[in-house]
Amino acid sequence: MTRNAPLNELGEFLKQRRSELSPRTVGLPESTGPRRVKGLRREEVSQLAAISTDYYTRIEQGRLQASAPVLAALARVLHLDDDQRDYLFELAGRDAGRPRRRPTQKVQPQLQRLLDDLTSTPAMVMGRRMDILAWNSLAAALIANFAEIPEKKRNYMRILFSEPTLRNLYDDWESVARTAVAQLRMEAAKYPDDSRLTALVGELSVQDPDFRKWWAGHHVSSLTIGTKRLTHPVAGSLVLDWDTLTASTDPDQKLVVWTAESGSPAHDGLRILASWAADQHLPASHSV
């Protein structure tokens, strides 16, 4: 990325957000004549944020790094949620100088042992860029046999968009994929100088028109909790809750687990899947 890439990204993010709001939404009177732009005008945003139009224009054009109070005002005016507000501040405060070398992420042996002990719960560890760092055999049975995927290609986002089996696995693949793209946007704000992330985005943008469209939407989301509905060729219909835990040794490593309520059809389905995985000898990852 270029030196001003975070500020340029911030400007595009602001444009997208103001295009989604109408004057009525923010308490302004509707104009009687036709509007030349979709959503709010720059003049309207600057008026509501109590800054000059020129000042706001320079922020949107990536020519000015806004102060924290101005960012807070823009977040309020544009009705940003918590994730979007965090994303805005990440972009504005990130140093866009020389890329810093980051150590290769390794899963601690203790965390790998925890994965291995979760015999009835699919679980995996995701790192920066949503790379898949570790998994247990039930996660391999549920999603994909990660051991067969080359390490450099072992990325959840890449698998989600390139593997037909995952499009069939999720009952609402589009919703799952949109959310994943929004989560990757958060990663891009944290690490704007990550060349591997930039290459991943470029690769998927060329290969998949949906990814290209959703990435251009500049939506953001954190990896937290949720529910997914799946149709698995072995376990059948599953409704699974997923949750994430942050590794104490590396905040960029997230343990993702899928669970089902005890006694539910999905809980029984996971037991069936665990038995099948054992018969198939699906490998879990192994810490180095």
Side-chain angles (χ1 to χ4, degrees):
M1 292 187 178
T2 63
R3 182 174 179 81
N4 291 324
L7 294 184
N8 292 335
E9 166 65 15
L10 185 147
E12 290 300 317
F13 180 70
L14 291 174
K15 289 179 188 177
Q16 288 289 331
R17 297 291 76 79
R18 70 178 172 89
S19 72
E20 296 171 351
L21 296 175
S22 67
R24 179 179 299 177
T25 302
V26 296
L28 293 175
E30 294 279 4
S31 58
T32 56
R35 298 176 67 87
R36 291 187 297 174
V37 298
K38 181 181 178 182
L40 296 179
R41 301 186 182 99
R42 286 174 175 169
E43 295 84 356
E44 292 166 333
V45 174
S46 60
Q47 174 190 345
L48 292 168
I51 58 178
S52 72
T53 301
D54 177 67
Y55 187 88
Y56 176 75
T57 299
R58 284 187 288 160
I59 295 173
E60 219 181 63
Q61 291 176 344
R63 297 189 291 121
L64 180 68
Q65 186 165 4
S67 65
V70 168
L71 291 172
L74 292 175
R76 172 182 53 80
V77 169
L78 296 174
H79 295 192
L80 302 187
D81 61 27
D82 289 343
D83 285 344
Q84 292 170 330
R85 190 179 189 279
D86 290 346
Y87 182 68
L88 184 70
F89 275 80
E90 285 275 6
L91 290 174
R94 180 61 58 181
D95 179 8
R98 177 183 294 183
R100 294 178 290 118
R101 291 183 62 86
R102 299 182 181 89
T104 301
Q105 289 183 294
K106 297 291 184 182
V107 174
Q108 292 293 320
Q110 300 93 320
L111 185 53
Q112 184 64 60
R113 288 198 295 268
L114 174 61
L115 283 174
D116 296 338
D117 286 343
L118 294 174
T119 56
S120 62
T121 301
M124 67 182 184
V125 178
M126 288 204 296
R128 293 189 294 268
R129 301 174 294 272
M130 303 175 76
D131 289 341
I132 298 169
L133 305 178
W135 63 92
N136 62 10
S137 59
L138 195 49
L142 179 67
I143 301 174
N145 189 351
F146 301 119
E148 295 182 344
I149 302 172
E151 184 177 355
K152 291 185 177 180
K153 299 289 187 180
R154 204 178 288 152
N155 175 275
Y156 179 73
M157 184 65 69
R158 180 182 283 111
I159 296 169
L160 183 62
F161 277 87
S162 64
E163 292 293 333
T165 53
L166 262 70
R167 292 180 182 260
N168 296 325
L169 175 65
Y170 292 115
D171 290 355
D172 188 357
W173 178 87
E174 180 174 330
S175 176
V176 171
R178 280 177 176 269
T179 300
V181 171
Q183 291 163 350
L184 191 65
R185 268 283 180 194
M186 292 292 283
E187 287 289 297
K190 290 167 61 179
Y191 302 110
D193 53 11
D194 189 326
S195 59
R196 288 184 58 188
L197 193 151
T198 302
L200 174 65
V201 171
E203 171 191 331
L204 294 177
S205 296
V206 170
Q207 293 179 359
D208 194 285
D210 285 331
F211 179 90
R212 185 165 60 250
K213 177 176 65 177
W214 298 333
W215 185 259
H218 295 263
H219 294 287
V220 291
S221 178
S222 294
L223 187 65
T224 52
I225 61 174
T227 300
K228 285 186 171 66
R229 297 179 179 273
L230 308 88
T231 300
H232 194 275
V234 173
S237 297
L238 300 171
V239 180
L240 301 178
D241 297 318
W242 60 274
D243 202 349
T244 55
L245 303 173
T246 301
S248 60
T249 55
D250 181 356
D252 284 334
Q253 291 187 30
K254 307 289 185 181
L255 173 65
V256 185
V257 296
W258 290 266
T259 60
E261 185 177 353
S262 180
S264 67
H267 188 262
D268 294 338
L270 287 180
R271 289 180 176 272
I272 294 171
L273 188 60
S275 176
W276 178 83
D279 292 340
Q280 299 296 313
H281 303 290
L282 289 180
S285 59
H286 295 286
S287 57
V288 178

